[in-house]
Amino acid sequence: MGSEMCIRDSYKTILLSVAVLFPMLLQSQNYTESINDIATNLESVEASKVQYSQELKALSPGYAVATITEIDDKGDTEVVNYEFSFADIDINTVRTITKKDIIQVQLLINGKQKLIRKIEDGGDKVSYVDELYLYAKDIDNGRAIVDAVKKIIPINETIEKNKLALTTYEDHLQWLIENVAEVDYLKKQYAQKLSNDNTLNGYAKLEVTENAKSKSESKAYEFNFAVLNPNSVDFKIRSDEFYIQVENRRGIKSIKSFEDNIQGNFANSLEFYASSVENGKDIYKVLKAIIPVSYTHLTLPTSDLV
């Protein structure tokens, strides 16, 4: 009897795993096929004084890089890479537009958020933009690109929706502990470490060491997730730095701050640095979710949440 129950339990576990993994594999396959469909339609396009060549490749499930190479009539070449997710594209803005002798396919980010990482000069210049334009050889080619882009957007949205299967406070906290890590930018490096004290539910500590050339500065912040405002979680950009900022409720400065182990003034906000747009969006999503989940781990009066 016991062995039969074990077999049935194992069988159920296998079925559950298949039920979870099969749709994910199917979505990934559909995404790859859709990327290839768009890439096939990206041709070399010639204008009066400029020639454009285009490539599109998958970076990871749900994220892609578009490479546009521009060659002018003097033979000078400029290569620009755009890293982004089609899930962020406003499907209602995808259309062809004509600029002088060029047909472009317009891709605009929802809410004009700068979620496209633009890389120029061989990686020496990084910025974030809210739009991307592909080039079409003619109107038929433009329509084919538009149709292919509109097809991939809902596929990409489903992949992002199902990406992080986190439910409990512990799940969210552990994900942040593992994914808030060292980040390298062009001029600065941030070594981040998030930890928590198991005896103080809801509390956490964020340690950040900032390295710039020969200068190093260490800071730390002690806070409670339950006191943070989920509606304040937002993307921020400073030069090539892409980070997520979250503030306290009611603007109260209750976050303990330390510089080189010496306590300083209380702060009202925290910054979590991201290694990529994908990493940043995931941090954004988990931060926004862990705050209400943390209410079950309160060690402070509920009146503080008003």
Side-chain angles (χ1 to χ4, degrees):
M1 179 72 72
S3 61
E4 290 179 357
M5 289 183 65
C6 287
I7 292 173
R8 283 199 299 269
D9 289 343
S10 298
Y11 184 65
K12 289 179 180 178
T13 301
I14 293 172
L15 286 178
L16 181 60
S17 299
V18 171
V20 172
L21 291 175
F22 181 74
M24 293 175 62
L25 291 173
L26 184 60
Q27 290 164 12
S28 180
Q29 181 180 344
N30 290 339
Y31 176 77
T32 302
E33 291 174 353
S34 296
I35 286 287
N36 293 336
D37 188 19
I38 298 172
T40 301
N41 284 289
L42 296 179
E43 303 183 32
S44 179
V45 176
E46 291 189 15
S48 58
K49 296 183 179 181
V50 183
Q51 178 181 336
Y52 301 95
S53 62
Q54 311 165 96
E55 292 183 356
L56 182 70
K57 296 180 180 179
L59 280 176
S60 63
Y63 283 80
V65 56
T67 302
I68 298 179
T69 303
E70 179 181 328
I71 305 175
D72 64 22
D73 55 356
K74 295 180 181 180
D76 294 328
T77 302
E78 181 182 5
V79 180
V80 182
N81 290 316
Y82 299 88
E83 298 177 357
F84 67 104
S85 168
F86 280 102
D88 295 323
I89 302 297
D90 183 348
I91 196 169
N92 296 314
T93 67
V94 180
R95 64 176 184 270
T96 58
I97 59 175
T98 302
K99 287 189 175 181
K100 295 182 180 180
D101 58 341
I102 287 291
I103 299 173
Q104 296 178 317
V105 176
Q106 171 184 273
L107 308 181
L108 304 182
I109 297 294
N110 283 304
K112 296 184 178 180
Q113 296 184 94
K114 295 183 178 181
L115 296 179
I116 300 175
R117 187 170 186 244
K118 183 179 180 181
I119 306 167
E120 305 171 83
D121 298 337
D124 290 336
K125 182 180 179 181
V126 176
S127 58
Y128 297 87
V129 297
D130 60 6
E131 59 186 15
L132 166 61
Y133 293 91
L134 303 175
Y135 296 88
K137 195 169 186 178
D138 51 44
I139 194 63
D140 289 333
N141 180 225
R143 290 194 188 101
I145 296 172
V146 167
D147 291 343
V149 169
K150 287 188 173 183
K151 177 183 176 183
I152 198 174
I153 290 175
I155 295 172
N156 209 154
E157 289 174 340
T158 301
I159 289 174
E160 288 214 2
K161 181 181 178 181
N162 298 331
K163 183 180 180 182
L164 299 175
L166 308 175
T167 53
T168 67
Y169 170 79
E170 289 78 13
D171 290 341
H172 289 79
L173 178 61
Q174 188 59 39
W175 188 95
L176 287 171
I177 289 173
E178 293 175 358
N179 290 277
V180 173
E182 183 175 302
V183 177
D184 291 314
Y185 295 116
L186 293 177
K187 296 181 179 180
K188 292 183 181 180
Q189 176 197 67
Y190 294 92
Q192 304 174 109
K193 179 184 177 183
L194 183 69
S195 59
N196 76 310
D197 185 340
N198 290 325
T199 63
L200 296 172
N201 292 328
Y203 278 85
K205 182 177 183 180
L206 175 64
E207 299 171 84
V208 183
T209 300
E210 177 184 331
N211 298 306
K213 294 183 179 180
S214 59
K215 183 181 178 182
S216 181
E217 188 176 70
S218 296
K219 297 181 179 181
Y221 305 89
E222 295 179 358
F223 63 98
N224 191 307
F225 280 109
V227 183
L228 300 179
N229 180 4
N231 296 322
S232 72
V233 181
D234 198 10
F235 298 111
K236 296 290 182 179
I237 295 168
R238 183 169 53 232
S239 184
D240 65 318
E241 299 174 6
F242 187 80
Y243 61 97
I244 292 80
Q245 184 181 75
V246 59
E247 299 177 351
N248 267 347
R249 294 173 182 272
R250 298 182 296 173
I252 297 175
K253 294 183 177 181
S254 63
I255 299 172
K256 281 186 180 180
S257 69
F258 301 83
E259 187 169 338
D260 295 326
N261 295 319
I262 300 174
Q263 184 171 344
N265 296 327
F266 282 83
N268 174 46
S269 63
L270 295 166
E271 296 177 357
F272 295 83
Y273 294 91
S275 59
S276 64
V277 172
E278 178 178 8
N279 176 238
K281 286 175 60 182
D282 288 344
I283 292 173
Y284 174 98
K285 184 177 180 179
V286 178
L287 269 179
K288 206 169 181 67
I290 194 175
I291 296 170
V293 174
S294 68
Y295 298 163
T296 58
H297 288 255
L298 292 180
T299 56
L300 72 167
T302 55
S303 59
D304 288 352
L305 300 179
V306 179

